[in-house]
Short mmCIF file of all heavy atoms in Angstrom, two decimals:
data_model
loop_
_atom_site.label_atom_id
_atom_site.label_comp_id
_atom_site.label_asym_id
_atom_site.label_seq_id
_atom_site.Cartn_x
_atom_site.Cartn_y
_atom_site.Cartn_z
N ASN W 43 78.41 108.97 61.78
CA ASN W 43 78.04 107.63 61.33
C ASN W 43 78.74 106.65 62.27
O ASN W 43 79.95 106.47 62.17
CB ASN W 43 78.52 107.37 59.90
CG ASN W 43 77.98 108.36 58.90
OD1 ASN W 43 76.90 108.91 59.07
ND2 ASN W 43 78.75 108.61 57.84
N TYR W 44 78.02 106.06 63.17
CA TYR W 44 78.61 105.09 64.09
C TYR W 44 78.65 103.72 63.42
O TYR W 44 77.64 103.25 62.91
CB TYR W 44 77.80 105.01 65.38
CG TYR W 44 77.90 106.25 66.23
CD1 TYR W 44 76.96 107.27 66.15
CD2 TYR W 44 78.96 106.41 67.12
CE1 TYR W 44 77.06 108.42 66.92
CE2 TYR W 44 79.06 107.56 67.90
CZ TYR W 44 78.11 108.55 67.80
OH TYR W 44 78.23 109.69 68.56
N GLU W 45 79.83 103.11 63.39
CA GLU W 45 79.99 101.75 62.87
C GLU W 45 80.26 100.83 64.05
O GLU W 45 81.11 101.14 64.90
CB GLU W 45 81.16 101.67 61.87
CG GLU W 45 81.00 102.54 60.64
CD GLU W 45 80.11 101.94 59.56
OE1 GLU W 45 79.97 100.69 59.53
OE2 GLU W 45 79.56 102.71 58.76
N LEU W 46 79.59 99.71 64.09
CA LEU W 46 79.56 98.84 65.26
C LEU W 46 80.05 97.45 64.85
O LEU W 46 79.65 96.94 63.81
CB LEU W 46 78.10 98.77 65.70
CG LEU W 46 77.69 98.09 66.96
CD1 LEU W 46 78.24 98.84 68.17
CD2 LEU W 46 76.16 98.08 67.04
N ILE W 47 80.91 96.86 65.66
CA ILE W 47 81.28 95.44 65.47
C ILE W 47 80.93 94.70 66.75
O ILE W 47 81.42 95.04 67.83
CB ILE W 47 82.78 95.28 65.17
CG1 ILE W 47 83.18 96.12 63.96
CG2 ILE W 47 83.11 93.80 64.93
CD1 ILE W 47 84.68 96.09 63.66
N VAL W 48 80.07 93.71 66.63
CA VAL W 48 79.66 92.89 67.78
C VAL W 48 80.30 91.52 67.63
O VAL W 48 80.12 90.85 66.62
CB VAL W 48 78.13 92.76 67.85
CG1 VAL W 48 77.71 91.84 68.99
CG2 VAL W 48 77.49 94.13 68.00
N GLN W 49 81.08 91.12 68.65
CA GLN W 49 81.78 89.83 68.61
C GLN W 49 81.28 88.93 69.73
O GLN W 49 81.17 89.36 70.88
CB GLN W 49 83.28 90.05 68.79
CG GLN W 49 83.94 90.66 67.57
CD GLN W 49 85.39 91.00 67.82
OE1 GLN W 49 85.69 92.10 68.28
NE2 GLN W 49 86.29 90.07 67.53
N LEU W 50 80.99 87.68 69.37
CA LEU W 50 80.60 86.67 70.36
C LEU W 50 81.60 85.53 70.31
O LEU W 50 81.97 85.07 69.22
CB LEU W 50 79.23 86.08 70.01
CG LEU W 50 78.04 87.02 69.99
CD1 LEU W 50 76.77 86.22 69.73
CD2 LEU W 50 77.93 87.76 71.31
N THR W 51 82.01 85.04 71.48
CA THR W 51 82.92 83.91 71.54
C THR W 51 82.23 82.76 72.27
O THR W 51 81.73 82.94 73.38
CB THR W 51 84.22 84.31 72.26
OG1 THR W 51 84.79 85.41 71.56
CG2 THR W 51 85.21 83.16 72.29
N GLY W 52 82.21 81.59 71.61
CA GLY W 52 81.57 80.43 72.22
C GLY W 52 81.92 79.17 71.44
O GLY W 52 82.77 79.20 70.55
N ASN W 53 81.25 78.11 71.78
CA ASN W 53 81.51 76.83 71.12
C ASN W 53 80.75 76.74 69.80
O ASN W 53 79.66 77.31 69.68
CB ASN W 53 81.08 75.67 72.02
CG ASN W 53 81.98 75.58 73.24
OD1 ASN W 53 83.20 75.60 73.12
ND2 ASN W 53 81.37 75.49 74.42
N ILE W 54 81.30 75.98 68.85
CA ILE W 54 80.59 75.68 67.61
C ILE W 54 79.57 74.58 67.91
O ILE W 54 79.92 73.53 68.44
CB ILE W 54 81.57 75.21 66.52
CG1 ILE W 54 82.59 76.30 66.19
CG2 ILE W 54 80.81 74.80 65.26
CD1 ILE W 54 83.58 75.93 65.10
N ASP W 55 78.32 74.83 67.56
CA ASP W 55 77.28 73.81 67.67
C ASP W 55 77.56 72.75 66.60
O ASP W 55 77.61 73.06 65.40
CB ASP W 55 75.92 74.49 67.41
CG ASP W 55 74.75 73.53 67.44
OD1 ASP W 55 74.90 72.39 66.95
OD2 ASP W 55 73.68 73.93 67.92
#
Side-chain angles (χ1 to χ4, degrees):
Chain W
N43 302 331
Y44 291 94
E45 299 279 336
L46 187 66
I47 304 175
V48 176
Q49 288 174 271
L50 299 184
T51 302
N53 292 311
I54 299 181
D55 178 322

